[in-house]
């Protein structure tokens, strides 16, 4: 042995290594084979270290031979690793396969809150009549919440609403938590040209808390502006809404004169009910329940929003969400809406796939 490393030994080492690479059935086996030959204490590494003891030509020849083995083995390792990684990926894809053709299991999907459901139902009914949905911010300035709606500063009607005031905006504007969804009317008229036909569902706030009031509640606002809109359209629209929403046979509906600064004339809409036994039941039973306010948009409001009141007119309405939801779904206590009790939600909530739709029925 002149060069200190027998060529046959090297040949058999290489063969052994190539065999153990081919035999590795997993990435872990492959890594074990690599470490056994090429690791810090591996056999090939040991031979490499031995080179230092050789001189001149012998060292060069042995080095070249060892490098050749090393290169061949490194290539074989990489090729085997590619194969094993691909096999592992395929096994994993097979293991984690999801059958997207299986039907959904909506019972596991949580529940839609009755307030959301009710808003969706209301929107679905108005959408069927050609309304689109508009939105506005919960934090409003005094102009949108009051002034443009014909509540001048100091107007007594402002006192009707127990407003939550916020610190003034930098430009000095008085800020409030919106006391109703009516400011969305204003935003819509300022930003769109007639004809306008929108509904605006959303959160509203008043400083009030007892059996029948919560400081945060929900409303839906409606606004129609066109050249020939009249009180008959208002009545037709809201009567149709109530019949579809409550789905009660022979539901009496009446309009009673009322007052709102932003409408003239103004009305409230009542639906028939009975209150015997302390429980409200809808239908033709001789008693009445108020469900919304409405009227023809006041010319001052149109003008404040830049709409020519000599050419355009329209109607508006505003309705709470909680009360109709309680009536329709037999929910006895207003405050439970906001307790976030999952057992309550399981009982009163709706399945997520039951999206309200007038054509297929609002609730299934
Ligand atoms: N904004 C009123 C309220 O919160 C409800 C209302 C009444 C809205 C008449 C309207 C309307 O758009 O025309 O009490």
């Amino acid at each position: 042995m002149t060069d200190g490393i027998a060529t046959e030994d090297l040949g058999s080492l290489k063969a052994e290594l190539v065999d153990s690479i081919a035999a590795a059935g997993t990435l872990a086996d492959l890594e074990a084979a690599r470490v056994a030959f090429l690791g810090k204490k591996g056999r090939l590494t040991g031979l490499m270290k031995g080179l230092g003891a050789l001189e001149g030509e012998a060292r060069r020849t042995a080095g070249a031979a060892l490098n050749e083995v090393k290169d061949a083995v490194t290539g074989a390792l990489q090729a085997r690793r590619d194969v094993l990684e691909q096999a592992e990926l395929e096994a994993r894809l097979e293991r984690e396969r999801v059958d997207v053709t299986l039907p959904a299991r909506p019972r596991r999907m949580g529940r839609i809150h009755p307030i959301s459901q009710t808003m969706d139902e209301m929107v679905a009914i108005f959408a069927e009549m050609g309304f689109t949905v508009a939105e506005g911010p919960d934090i409003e300035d005094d102009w949108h919440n009051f002034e443009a709606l014909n509540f001048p500063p100091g107007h007594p009607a402002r006192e009707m609403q127990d407003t939550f005031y916020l610190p003034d905006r930098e430009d000095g504007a008085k800020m409030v938590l919106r006391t109703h969804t009516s400011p969305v009317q204003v935003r819509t008229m300022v930003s769109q040209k007639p004809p306008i036909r929108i509904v605006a569902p959303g959160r509203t706030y008043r400083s009030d808390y007892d059996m029948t009031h919560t400081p945060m509640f929900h409303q839906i606002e409606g606004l129609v502006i066109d050249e020939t809109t009249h009180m008959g359209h208002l009545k037709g629209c809201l009567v149709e809404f109530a019949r579809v929403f409550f789905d009660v046979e022979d539901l009496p509906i009446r309009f009673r004169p009322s007052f709102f600064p932003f409408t003239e004339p103004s009305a409230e809409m009542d639906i028939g009910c009975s209150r015997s036994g302390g429980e409200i039941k809808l239908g033709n039973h001789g008693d009445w329940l108020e469900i919304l306010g409405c009227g023809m948009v006041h010319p001052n409001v149109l003008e404040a929003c830049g709409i020519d009141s000599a050419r355009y007119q329209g109607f508006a309405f505003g309705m709470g969400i909680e009360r109709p939801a309680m009536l329709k779904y037999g929910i006895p206590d207003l405050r439970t809406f906001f307790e976030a009790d999952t057992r309550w939600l399981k009982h009163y909530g709706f399945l997520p796939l039951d999206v309200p739709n007038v054509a297929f029925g609002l609730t299934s």
Side-chain angles (χ1 to χ4, degrees), residues 161 179-180 182 185 206 219 221-222 260 262-263 293-295 316-318:
Q161 312 198 340
T179 57
H180 49 182
S182 304
Q185 284 187 32
R206 290 183 199 177
Q219 289 189 338
E221 190 80 12
F260 301 100
F262 35 89
T263 42
C294 56
F317 58 89

Side-chain angles (χ1 to χ4, degrees), residues 211-272:
M211 278 284 286
T212 54
H213 297 88
T214 49
M216 191 277 292
F217 57 104
H218 299 79
Q219 289 189 338
I220 185 166
E221 190 80 12
L223 176 71
V224 174
I225 305 285
D226 209 336
E227 294 188 39
T228 56
T229 312
H230 56 69
M231 199 77 184
H233 296 132
L234 177 159
K235 290 180 75 173
C237 170
L238 294 175
V239 166
E240 172 69 9
F241 163 79
R243 296 250 154 86
V244 178
F245 178 80
F246 290 107
D247 194 22
V248 171
E249 196 118 344
D250 194 20
L251 181 68
I253 296 172
R254 75 174 182 191
F255 289 81
R256 223 173 354 89
S258 183
F259 172 79
F260 301 100
F262 35 89
T263 42
E264 180 57 39
S266 304
E268 281 174 317
M269 186 172 103
D270 298 338
I271 55 178

Side-chain angles (χ1 to χ4, degrees), residues 20-315:
S20 72
I21 289 171
T26 64
L27 286 167
D29 289 350
L30 189 65
E31 178 61 8
R34 188 191 68 79
V35 170
F37 290 91
L38 294 173
K40 258 196 201 146
K41 295 186 180 142
R43 289 164 63 190
L44 204 58
T45 317
L47 292 175
M48 294 270 200
K49 282 184 191 153
L51 286 176
L54 300 178
E55 300 286 338
E57 187 63 21
R59 184 169 168 178
R60 261 192 299 280
T61 325
L66 280 174
N67 271 336
E68 194 202 291
V69 174
K70 192 177 173 191
D71 287 349
V73 164
T74 309
L77 274 172
Q78 188 55 48
R80 186 70 188 146
R81 187 173 297 125
D82 289 348
V83 170
L84 290 175
E85 275 176 357
Q86 184 61 30
E88 195 151 291
L89 178 66
E90 270 160 27
R92 181 160 163 219
L93 286 173
E94 184 58 34
R95 210 166 49 240
E96 296 178 1
R97 202 166 87 177
V98 174
D99 183 352
V100 293
T101 66
L102 283 174
R105 281 178 281 193
R107 273 170 209 291
R108 292 199 183 172
M109 290 167 67
R111 293 291 190 280
I112 301 297
H113 195 284
I115 295 289
S116 303
Q117 176 79 14
T118 304
M119 287 204 284
D120 291 349
E121 290 177 15
M122 291 177 169
V123 166
I125 297 170
F126 288 113
E128 187 84 0
M129 300 183 201
F131 286 74
T132 54
V133 172
E135 285 181 311
D138 289 16
I139 296 176
E140 267 297 5
D141 53 48
D142 186 271
W143 189 79
H144 287 94
N145 195 80
F146 290 123
E147 194 149 349
L149 288 164
N150 202 29
F151 292 81
H155 190 283
R158 287 184 177 223
E159 310 299 319
M160 284 161 55
Q161 312 198 340
D162 303 289
T163 311
F164 282 114
Y165 290 94
L166 296 170
D168 292 355
R169 204 166 53 196
E170 271 175 15
D171 64 7
K174 299 253 168 284
M175 303 304 287
V176 300
L177 287 178
R178 68 178 177 191
T179 57
H180 49 182
T181 41
S182 304
V184 185
Q185 284 187 32
V186 175
R187 290 183 174 276
T188 307
M189 284 188 277
V190 166
S191 64
Q192 293 177 26
K193 285 197 171 45
I196 290 171
R197 210 184 288 169
I198 57 106
V199 283
R203 279 190 280 266
T204 47
Y205 306 83
R206 290 183 199 177
S207 176
D208 213 347
Y209 189 49
D210 59 34
M211 278 284 286
T212 54
H213 297 88
T214 49
M216 191 277 292
F217 57 104
H218 299 79
Q219 289 189 338
I220 185 166
E221 190 80 12
L223 176 71
V224 174
I225 305 285
D226 209 336
E227 294 188 39
T228 56
T229 312
H230 56 69
M231 199 77 184
H233 296 132
L234 177 159
K235 290 180 75 173
C237 170
L238 294 175
V239 166
E240 172 69 9
F241 163 79
R243 296 250 154 86
V244 178
F245 178 80
F246 290 107
D247 194 22
V248 171
E249 196 118 344
D250 194 20
L251 181 68
I253 296 172
R254 75 174 182 191
F255 289 81
R256 223 173 354 89
S258 183
F259 172 79
F260 301 100
F262 35 89
T263 42
E264 180 57 39
S266 304
E268 281 174 317
M269 186 172 103
D270 298 338
I271 55 178
C273 72
S274 82
R275 289 187 168 81
S276 64
E279 198 191 326
I280 296 186
K281 222 173 91 209
L282 296 183
N284 191 2
H285 308 298
D287 208 347
W288 295 98
L289 178 72
E290 181 226 314
I291 64 158
L292 60 82
C294 56
M296 300 306 293
V297 179
H298 197 293
N300 289 355
V301 176
L302 294 170
E303 295 295 334
C305 299
I307 291 182
D308 178 2
S309 62
R311 178 163 173 208
Y312 292 106
Q313 53 193 323
F315 67 85

